[in-house]
Amino acid sequence: MSGGGLFLRAAAAARACRALAAFTTSQRSLRTSPRSRGFAKELFLGTIEKEEVFPFPEVDQEELNEINQFMGPVEKFFTEEVDSRKIDQEGEIPKETLEKLKSLGLFGMQVPEEYGGLGLSNTMYARLGEITALDASITVTLAAHQSIGLKGIIIAGSEEQKTKYLPRLASGEHIAAFCLTEPASGSDAASIRTRATLSEDKKHYILNGSKIWITNGGLADIFTVFAKTQIVDSNNLIKDKITAFIVERNFGGVTNGKPEDKLGIRGSNTCEVHFENTKVPVENVLGEVGGGFKVAMNILNSGRFSMGSSVAGMLKKLIEMTAEYACTRKQFNKNLSEFGLIQEKFALMAQKAYVMESMAYLTAGLLDRPGLPDCSVEAAIVKVFSSEAAWQCVSEALQILGGLGYMRDYPYERLLRDARILLIFEGTNEILRMYIALTGLQHAGHILTSRINEIKRGNVSTIVETVGRRLRDSLSRTVDLGLTGKLGVVHPSLEDSANKLEENVYYFGRTVETLLLRFGKTIVEEQMVMKRVANILINLYSMTAVLSRASRSIRIGLRNHDHEVLLANIFCVEAYHQNLFTLSQLDKYSPENLDEKIKKVAQQVLEKRTYICAHPLDRTS
């Protein structure tokens, strides 16, 4: 094992000792802490649970020292030994590179120490993710192994399953894959056709079916597989339900196709995986029979936040490389860096990196708290924002570089190709926007149900209260949600931005109530409405994250905190105005809302399945 790997394991052992010393306290905390309702969900009610996100999460000095020491050997390896161009061109990660990743402990980053892993906190995992992101193919390989491939065993596995499988998965002796997607089911996971039938002796399930686009599919020894099984419900009716299974390649009947020829992340192994009469012992059911859909969603929800730190790591390196070019390339007797439109691009890249980094580490800090934090909406927000910002920023970097950025001799076009998948996998951004909006609206609906019903029934006092509140709102009432002032949590240099956030949050809450009253349960069919709701929430959480982080940086005197204030204020002003416009579009009679016209155009195009306008050179005679 390498020196870096030894250090990582020694540090893990030290953490285990500290954890043992605090075992009794932490267990008591875990048992008694109420399940958090989730910061982002509360924004749908027009409230800011400031104690959840202020001050910005910190790690203690001992853990910080560990993180910094972890970084050394990992960064050295990625900088000196990983040949990303070769990986991209040859379409695979060399065996010696995979072996070094294993020796560094990177296949067991989040596997608990008692099962041979490093047991990293979410914060430490995010920090290491910044370095592993220097090669997208390696990032995806590691993430498919532990963020989804083996994660089900950690969160839903029995003690016997954990003891049997996790040690060899943590060491990298075995590699894991997550098998959900099928030819007929992409985002609609519930429509899978792979089937597992209980054998007559009830000792095995016989698994048959095919999965597509499985990362690590050709490398994996252990698969988390989702299949339809028959169950008898409480009414004694036989129904098909999804069940999760731990499947070993050596069970037999497991084959894979050739690696897919992909646009980007070309070094990661992606292929079809087939199961033909594969005998899976009943003890390899993961979670409950029929509970597989919940297992799948919990796995996917738990890992999305780390995309923020990974993309931020990539963007920071991209800014470094692009800035060097812009400051030395001359055009019209001036450096590119002196032109305003080029400067604008660098400000955009710095701002996006700062926002996603702030959200990723805020979410990691929330997840690391004791109890049962519900951060699924926050994690989805981080994924959507980070993936779209990555695509935008890499595109802007190519624009700065001009023709040079388009050439394969340089890494920029590879970064562009690699970035495109981010908007698709781990839940498409369209699906995640629906998830963000629907989850929050359901939360608000549950709490506001009685009030909404009273309005619908014509309860006079409730109606008068509602009308009075809307009248005060129309007179531009001052919103104070406690972020500023004597007891405020935001630094005074960010006060104007905090006030903008408070105003946005308050009117978002009022708008949510109006939407629930207007649409009721049918709002699930209003995808353009839900997209706007999600976009507002993404901005609100982003604004919160940068204000919390920048306030902490000022108060403890971090270097360049004035730069953070600039970035935070710029972002908050832009997000505030975006939110105002989007809120106006959610009004029933808004002239800014073009939904019906957009739908009409789409219907006419799709009906003919072509562009239907006459050619501009056509004549009528």
Side-chain angles (χ1 to χ4, degrees), residues 56-68 121-124 361 365 368 552:
F56 196 77
E58 291 187 332
V59 296
D60 61 40
Q61 189 60 49
E62 192 170 4
E63 186 174 14
L64 183 61
N65 291 341
E66 284 181 19
I67 293 173
N68 290 334
S121 66
N122 290 289
T123 300
M124 294 177 76
Y361 283 99
D368 284 334
R552 170 187 176 269

Side-chain angles (χ1 to χ4, degrees), residues 422-598:
L422 300 178
L423 291 81
I424 299 172
F425 70 4
E426 292 197 31
T428 69
N429 286 7
E430 289 75 17
I431 290 291
L432 289 182
R433 277 189 166 87
M434 297 303 102
Y435 173 78
I436 290 165
L438 187 58
T439 303
L441 289 167
Q442 286 175 334
H443 175 73
H446 177 74
I447 293 172
L448 298 173
T449 295
S450 59
R451 177 182 178 82
I452 290 171
N453 288 340
E454 286 176 5
I455 293 173
K456 288 182 176 179
R457 285 195 299 264
N459 183 295
V460 176
S461 62
T462 305
I463 292 173
V464 169
E465 178 192 346
T466 302
V467 171
R469 189 175 62 189
R470 290 182 179 176
L471 179 62
R472 290 193 298 274
D473 290 347
S474 69
L475 297 174
S476 300
R477 61 172 288 169
T478 300
V479 178
D480 182 3
L481 300 182
L483 294 184
T484 59
K486 288 185 178 180
L487 300 177
V489 290
V490 174
H491 191 271
S493 62
L494 297 156
E495 182 174 352
D496 184 60
S497 292
N499 292 338
K500 285 178 166 56
L501 171 61
E502 290 177 320
E503 182 187 329
N504 275 173
V505 169
Y506 175 80
Y507 287 108
F508 178 60
R510 302 290 72 77
T511 300
V512 164
E513 185 175 337
T514 301
L515 291 173
L516 291 171
L517 185 61
R518 176 175 153 200
F519 292 109
K521 292 181 180 179
T522 65
I523 197 166
V524 70
E525 303 297 331
E526 301 293 332
Q527 290 201 347
M528 293 184 185
V529 170
M530 293 213 293
K531 175 187 175 183
R532 293 190 181 96
V533 169
N535 286 343
I536 293 170
L537 191 71
I538 290 168
N539 274 341
L540 296 180
Y541 188 56
S542 304
M543 293 167 78
T544 302
V546 298
L547 289 173
S548 180
R549 178 183 174 185
S551 293
R552 170 187 176 269
S553 297
I554 299 167
R555 290 194 171 108
I556 68 173
L558 283 185
R559 61 182 175 85
N560 298 326
H561 60 255
D562 55 334
H563 186 70
E564 293 191 40
V565 172
L566 270 175
L567 292 172
N569 281 330
I570 290 170
F571 177 77
C572 286
V573 170
E574 291 179 348
Y576 168 77
H577 288 290
Q578 289 170 7
N579 287 341
L580 290 183
F581 180 71
T582 308
L583 285 167
S584 72
Q585 288 181 306
L586 288 170
D587 186 86
K588 186 174 183 179
Y589 302 107
S590 168
E592 293 89 358
N593 189 314
L594 303 174
D595 288 357
E596 293 308 313
K597 294 178 181 178
I598 290 170

